[in-house]
Amino acid sequence: MSGTRPGTYFSLLGPVQAHRDDSPLPLGPPQQRALLAMLLCRRNAVVGLDELIDGLWGGEPPRSAVGTVRSYAYRLRRVLGGGLLTHGRGYALQVGPGELDLTRFDELTTRARAHVGAGDPEAARDLLARALEMWRGPALAGLPGPQARIQRERLAELRLSVLMERVELDLRLGGHGGLVAELTGLCLEHPLNDRLRTLRDAALERGGREREARTTPPGAPGGTSTPPHLPVPAQLPYVPGDFTGRAEAVRDLLDALAPTAPETVAVCAVGGIGGIGKTTLAVHAAGRLREHFPDGQLYANLRGVREDPADPAAVLAGFLRALGVTDPALPEEPRERAALYRTRLAGKRILLVLDDARDAAQIEPLLPGSPTCAVLVTSRSTLSGLPAARRLRLDVLPAAEALALLGRIVGEERIAAEPAEAAALVERCGGLPLAVRIAGSRLGTRPAWKLADFLRLLDGRGPASGPGFGPAFPGRDGPEGSVEACFRLSYDLLDAGQARLFRLMAVPRTPALDLASAAALAGLDPAEAERHLERLTALGLLESPAPLTYRFHDLLGEFAAARSEERDAPGERTAALLRLADHMLACAREAYAAERPGHPLVGLLTPTTARGASFEAGPSHIEAVLAVAVQTLEARPSAVGLIADMLLALDPALDGSFLWAALLAPARRVLRTAEEQEDLRAAGRTGFLLGSALTRLGRFDEAEAALHDAERAAAAAADEVVRTEILICRAVARQGRADWTAADALYREAIAAGTACGNAWGTTNARSNSVSTLLRLRRYEEAAEACRLSLAAAREGGDRYGEAHALYSLGIVARQGGRAAEAIARHRESAGLGVRGGYPALEVMNLISETAAHLAAGHPREAAECGERALAATQRLGWRAAQARTLRLLGTALAESGDHARARTRLTQALAHLEALALPEAAQASAVLASLAPPGH
């Protein structure tokens, strides 16, 4: 029996309510109802007082939290009766059968599944429909607190799962006719849910609308493209659980940044010396503001005190990625990037945390334009040029707060056992939170140590700690020296091998290193390197943000770099970079071999490392390789041969990710050094990669010049395998200019060169690429033969990319031969291989050619649908030339289908892009545009 009064019924599936005999009960304010919801979700079980407090307020409860919870429980007991019981420091709410809508919902769904198992889908469908009718809106609607948010998300997922079960039963029972509209709306609401899209397509197909099922993109009814659903950015880093004090500063930040009705962007600046706790305070306050900024929180470390402060353009790129802009679609011009960033933020409630800023000039491009956003900045400088609603300058912690922080780290009982020594220790740390934390961490891992022992260790350090780093003892001459002293205490615990690895980890300009890279950097066996790295991490000298990945805290990185400058000779630091570059080449070479099986270039990339580790082709990994390439070259220009091979080995990764724009500046730097060193082989290889990037980006004039010089260098160096690749790339660039005769000559020369030097992969690639040129020159049989030879060679060699490219070429041949259906089938087969193989450029190429095939078949509506998908794909890659050509085809398809208004828009866009790139299709776009009736006629 329930302990609540008879006739009581509770509701969680919507706003939290309670009724007795159909009359609503007064449940009090939202937080009191949130407490009731927690008890109902754990019905008939004891929920501890601490858990209730954490569920209502999170990590920062008010001092009155215990009294408030007890007051809420007392008031609820008066309303509900004796069913709300006290158990020690917790509460339990007794709920009987049928007294909670969630319980009833679960019972109905359980019964429905039993009917499915018994072969009665109609009864099951009716029970699920009854269960779903119980929902009165979002579960726990309007309730505050982290626990309510968690339960709200859990119950929403539960409802969606049951809803999809009901839809599946509707389909089994032949009710597809009424499902399309419902499922289309659900796909828009949940665009990444594959199961919903499958159900929608099934409903369309059973209703005789197969074409819509095949062509409608995810979450886009009727083929109207919508951007994919993206998770809300939540980039705030971890805040230590022992955050202590700063109550007034936290209150000031909350008051200044919590939105009311702002007319301008709220900006707060937190200043102070290094280690004073600026970042911890800012991230802690930002965490407490999460509910005020439901559209997300963005975070960037601007590295203001380092020699390589963050470039605002690079930070904008990271923020834009978090806001849904892919790397290739990022504008190259910083002002355009900032404009797109502010457009994406317009109207959104987003909090930005800009950590460790150098000056106002670094911050200005990152400030949003929408007053619904707010900005929290930390910096060691005063940022005098920054307009700020509130400025805080942190001082050291008061003695009581510093002592409280130490107690939370090492344990209050140790502080109580040695109160005088604890006070002396925090005094030594000068009230600097970082120093207290480091000292506390040392003691926390040594429970047998007395605080007096630790103080004696500090006192025995001596009066100096090295050039430029001030005093050895925390607090002796102010807090700046205290961090140095605490760092040194941990550093001096290292053996020679650990200390050397710690120092060398600070040499490369990369944000993090994996185990294999760190081992290569130091010339160690990976097992030995792992032991060292784990020791460094245990001492707090390194962080491990992911398994077998290691990085420095900024200040520790500076400390390690300074130790390396003191202890390691310049030749040793350079040798470490060379080992790391060699390792990266070995990794990229293995990836090259896997992507392009049988390519003879693999044998011409010559790292001294016997074997590389796995290589990830994501933006951060490619950027790390490029950064190490440039840094190594700065240290040892004569290593340009190694660095040129390192870049060349990235070719498949760059092609797969379409991150060509990131290569341009490093490649030009390497090429310049190769020319200065008179290294023809390196100049040819780097020039080839630079020309490839420029060709992919549609900058054909620059590509031609780079490739012409690269070919001369490769020929002089007798680097014929690379020369074959250069000739192919030159031909592709000439195709881009519609110079078919020159392209044909270059392809024939590439085939001859590849045959002579044994570059079978290159000859296959040249034949496959030449098909478009041969068709333009009306040499149809040669084109078909080139396709057949390319496809056979690729399949024999297990070359997935070559196979996909040959199928693409066969599609073009079929279209030119009037076999549109065959062309479409070939392009879809090729695109599928491209997607599975990670070749986004091939997906774009096939979508464009499929659009042309639909046009050739006289199906402009299908062409327009395919063209919209092609356009979205080109925009994701940032492939401007492909985007221009897609716009022309799309505009033509819309014109032929009678949609002249949209056709005019697309053709105008096409013409602007084509003319800017000096592409020959501009004349065709202009002709179609001229044929359309003027607006209003």
Side-chain angles (χ1 to χ4, degrees):
M1 292 292 292
S2 165
T4 55
R5 294 175 185 171
T8 303
Y9 183 79
F10 300 95
S11 301
L12 290 177
L13 306 182
V16 173
Q17 297 176 351
H19 290 77
R20 182 175 299 121
D21 300 327
D22 296 329
S23 297
L25 297 176
L27 299 179
Q31 205 163 47
Q32 184 170 304
R33 285 185 281 118
L35 175 70
L36 173 62
M38 292 173 65
L39 296 171
L40 287 169
C41 287
R42 297 272 298 278
R43 50 200 173 278
N44 302 320
V46 177
V47 185
L49 182 62
D50 291 341
E51 185 177 349
L52 290 169
I53 291 172
D54 187 63
L56 291 176
W57 289 284
E60 288 293 325
R63 293 181 179 178
S64 60
V66 173
T68 301
V69 168
R70 288 174 175 164
S71 174
Y72 287 161
Y74 171 78
R75 295 173 191 169
L76 286 170
R77 186 179 290 116
R78 293 186 62 185
V79 173
L80 301 176
L84 179 53
L85 306 176
T86 302
H87 290 271
R89 283 177 55 84
Y91 299 90
L93 180 61
Q94 294 183 334
V95 180
E99 292 185 349
L100 177 64
D101 59 357
L102 179 57
T103 304
R104 180 63 176 154
F105 178 88
D106 290 338
E107 291 170 353
L108 289 171
T109 56
T110 300
R111 286 172 54 195
R113 289 161 189 157
H115 279 291
V116 171
D120 189 355
E122 188 169 356
R125 189 264 174 218
D126 291 341
L127 286 169
L128 291 180
R130 285 171 56 193
L132 292 165
E133 288 171 358
M134 298 176 66
W135 289 72
R136 298 168 289 105
L140 281 64
L143 294 191
Q147 187 59 223
R149 181 171 62 250
I150 292 169
Q151 292 294 342
R152 199 157 37 239
E153 293 170 358
R154 179 185 72 83
L155 293 172
E157 291 174 3
L158 174 65
R159 178 184 179 278
L160 180 61
S161 174
V162 173
L163 178 58
M164 289 189 287
E165 290 183 57
R166 193 223 76 207
V167 169
E168 288 174 341
L169 290 171
D170 277 335
L171 285 171
R172 286 177 58 180
L173 295 168
H176 50 268
L179 290 175
V180 172
E182 180 183 12
L183 285 168
T184 298
L186 287 169
C187 284
L188 281 171
E189 186 179 354
H190 306 279
L192 299 182
N193 191 304
D194 291 332
R195 187 177 172 194
L196 280 173
R197 294 201 298 272
T198 301
L199 291 170
R200 181 205 59 198
D201 288 348
L204 288 167
E205 289 170 0
R206 295 185 188 186
R209 298 161 66 180
E210 295 88 352
R211 182 173 297 163
E212 289 182 54
R214 288 194 303 270
T215 61
T216 303
T224 302
S225 178
T226 61
H229 175 73
L230 292 165
V232 172
Q235 298 183 341
L236 297 180
Y238 168 75
V239 178
D242 52 26
F243 178 83
T244 302
R246 306 291 195 201
E248 184 176 352
V250 170
R251 187 164 54 250
D252 285 347
L253 292 176
L254 298 183
D255 290 344
L257 294 172
T260 51
E263 297 180 359
T264 60
V265 177
V267 180
C268 282
V270 179
I273 62 174
I276 200 69
K278 301 181 295 295
T279 297
T280 304
L281 169 66
V283 176
H284 171 80
R288 293 187 56 181
L289 287 163
R290 283 180 194 273
E291 292 188 359
H292 293 286
F293 296 93
D295 296 319
Q297 308 87 40
L298 298 172
Y299 172 89
N301 184 346
L302 301 183
R303 307 194 304 268
V305 297
R306 288 176 45 173
E307 292 182 358
D308 58 334
D311 181 358
V315 176
L316 285 171
F319 284 170
L320 285 168
R321 290 187 195 110
L323 295 169
V325 179
T326 58
D327 268 78
L330 291 172
E332 291 185 22
E333 173 62 36
R335 290 185 180 180
E336 294 178 7
R337 194 172 285 185
L340 177 58
Y341 162 73
R342 291 185 175 116
T343 299
R344 285 290 177 122
L345 291 182
K348 285 184 166 45
R349 291 165 62 186
I350 286 182
L351 176 64
L352 287 87
V353 179
L354 305 177
D355 195 18
D356 193 17
R358 169 163 287 199
D359 50 34
Q362 187 188 33
I363 297 169
E364 193 279 331
L366 308 176
L367 296 177
S370 175
T372 55
C373 297
V375 182
L376 180 51
V377 184
T378 74
S379 178
R380 295 191 189 185
S381 71
T382 58
L383 300 177
S384 58
L386 178 69
R390 190 71 56 89
R391 291 180 183 275
L392 299 179
R393 188 76 183 172
L394 293 187
D395 200 351
V396 296
L397 288 173
E401 290 187 5
L403 194 62
L405 174 59
L406 182 65
R408 296 189 70 172
I409 298 171
V410 305
E412 295 292 345
E413 65 282 356
R414 294 176 75 178
I415 303 298
E418 297 179 90
E421 289 78 3
L425 179 56
V426 297
E427 183 181 0
R428 290 284 205 285
C429 292
L432 193 72
L434 182 57
V436 174
R437 195 176 304 284
I438 293 172
S441 296
R442 283 282 313 281
L443 285 165
T445 57
R446 292 162 178 79
W449 280 25
K450 291 186 175 297
L451 273 62
D453 296 332
F454 190 71
L455 281 170
R456 280 193 293 273
L457 180 62
L458 286 175
D459 288 339
R461 292 280 301 138
S465 62
F469 272 83
F473 312 119
R476 181 75 61 87
D477 275 342
E480 288 288 2
S482 65
V483 180
E484 153 70 7
C486 290
F487 287 171
R488 277 190 173 277
L489 283 174
S490 294
Y491 176 72
D492 288 345
L493 293 174
L494 305 176
D495 63 28
Q498 294 162 358
R500 176 175 174 270
L501 179 56
F502 173 72
R503 297 192 305 268
L504 292 180
M505 286 282 286
V507 172
R509 293 194 290 260
T510 56
L513 289 174
D514 60 24
L515 170 61
S517 297
L521 179 76
L524 297 174
D525 175 83
E528 183 180 5
E530 183 177 5
R531 288 195 296 272
H532 290 347
L533 291 165
E534 288 303 314
R535 170 67 169 159
L536 293 169
T537 303
L539 289 172
L541 292 170
L542 284 178
E543 297 174 347
S544 182
L548 300 182
T549 301
Y550 304 90
R551 70 185 181 195
F552 284 112
H553 180 282
D554 281 354
L555 294 177
L556 275 164
E558 294 172 9
F559 174 84
R563 300 286 74 72
S564 183
E565 289 283 345
E566 289 175 357
R567 297 290 306 276
D568 303 320
E572 170 60 4
R573 295 199 299 276
T574 299
L577 285 172
L578 288 168
R579 288 190 295 267
L580 178 58
D582 188 74
H583 165 75
M584 287 179 164
L585 168 57
C587 295
R589 179 181 181 270
E590 288 201 7
Y592 196 113
E595 287 293 327
R596 298 180 179 175
H599 200 305
L601 186 61
V602 174
L604 301 177
L605 299 170
T606 53
T608 58
T609 300
R611 182 176 178 81
S614 61
F615 179 82
E616 296 184 41
S620 61
H621 292 81
I622 290 175
E623 288 169 4
V625 173
L626 295 176
V628 169
V630 172
Q631 188 181 0
T632 305
L633 210 56
E634 292 170 352
R636 182 70 60 81
S638 61
V640 70
L642 167 68
I643 300 306
D645 280 5
M646 185 175 161
L647 295 191
L648 185 56
L650 289 178
D651 192 8
L654 290 164
D655 215 17
S657 60
F658 215 83
L659 293 173
W660 292 104
L663 174 75
L664 295 180
R668 289 192 172 107
R669 173 71 174 84
V670 176
L671 181 58
R672 187 164 60 251
T673 303
E675 292 167 346
E676 292 168 354
Q677 295 286 314
E678 298 182 353
D679 189 329
L680 292 172
R681 178 178 170 277
R685 294 185 172 197
T686 308
F688 159 59
L689 205 59
L690 175 61
S692 295
L694 292 166
T695 300
R696 301 302 199 286
L697 297 170
R699 295 159 64 170
F700 297 116
D701 289 342
E702 296 174 74
E704 275 285 308
L707 291 167
H708 182 269
D709 292 343
E711 186 193 350
R712 288 171 53 192
D719 200 359
E720 288 299 302
V721 170
V722 173
R723 181 171 169 268
T724 304
E725 306 299 321
I726 295 171
L727 288 166
I728 296 169
C729 197
R730 286 190 65 194
V732 172
R734 295 318 304 169
Q735 276 186 172
R737 290 286 185 231
D739 188 349
W740 309 111
T741 302
D744 176 54
L746 287 164
Y747 278 129
R748 284 188 280 110
E749 190 176 354
I751 291 169
T755 302
C757 70
N759 187 354
W761 197 97
T763 57
T764 298
N765 191 31
R767 285 195 181 97
S768 186
N769 274 289
S770 71
V771 169
S772 294
T773 292
L774 293 170
L775 290 173
R776 291 284 186 168
L777 296 174
R778 302 182 182 279
R779 287 153 55 185
Y780 301 113
E781 287 302 321
E782 288 182 59
E785 179 66 11
C787 288
R788 287 191 290 270
L789 289 172
S790 298
L791 184 60
R795 284 177 170 167
E796 182 180 355
D799 179 5
R800 296 170 298 172
Y801 179 89
E803 180 181 0
H805 199 286
L807 288 167
Y808 162 76
S809 299
L810 281 169
I812 296 175
V813 170
R815 171 162 57 87
Q816 293 290 338
R819 305 186 302 278
E822 179 186 341
I824 292 167
R826 292 289 193 186
H827 286 311
R828 289 180 177 174
E829 185 180 3
S830 174
L833 285 174
V835 170
R836 291 193 296 276
Y839 313 121
L842 269 176
E843 179 190 10
V844 169
M845 291 158 59
N846 279 288
L847 284 170
I848 294 172
S849 288
E850 184 183 338
T851 302
H854 284 300
L855 273 174
H859 301 143
R861 293 188 183 278
E862 289 83 349
E865 292 173 357
C866 188
E868 291 287 0
R869 286 186 283 128
L871 181 60
T874 63
Q875 290 169 338
R876 282 197 302 272
L877 286 188
W879 192 353
R880 294 179 63 202
Q883 182 179 350
R885 288 170 173 142
T886 302
L887 285 165
R888 180 185 70 79
L889 288 171
L890 178 55
T892 303
L894 291 167
E896 292 186 11
S897 64
D899 192 345
H900 287 188
R902 290 178 63 209
R904 188 176 294 104
T905 298
R906 292 304 194 193
L907 288 166
T908 301
Q909 293 171 337
L911 194 57
H913 285 285
L914 291 166
E915 288 178 343
L917 294 170
L919 295 176
E921 292 96 331
Q924 295 166 278
S926 183
V928 178
L929 186 59
S931 70
L932 298 176
H937 288 72

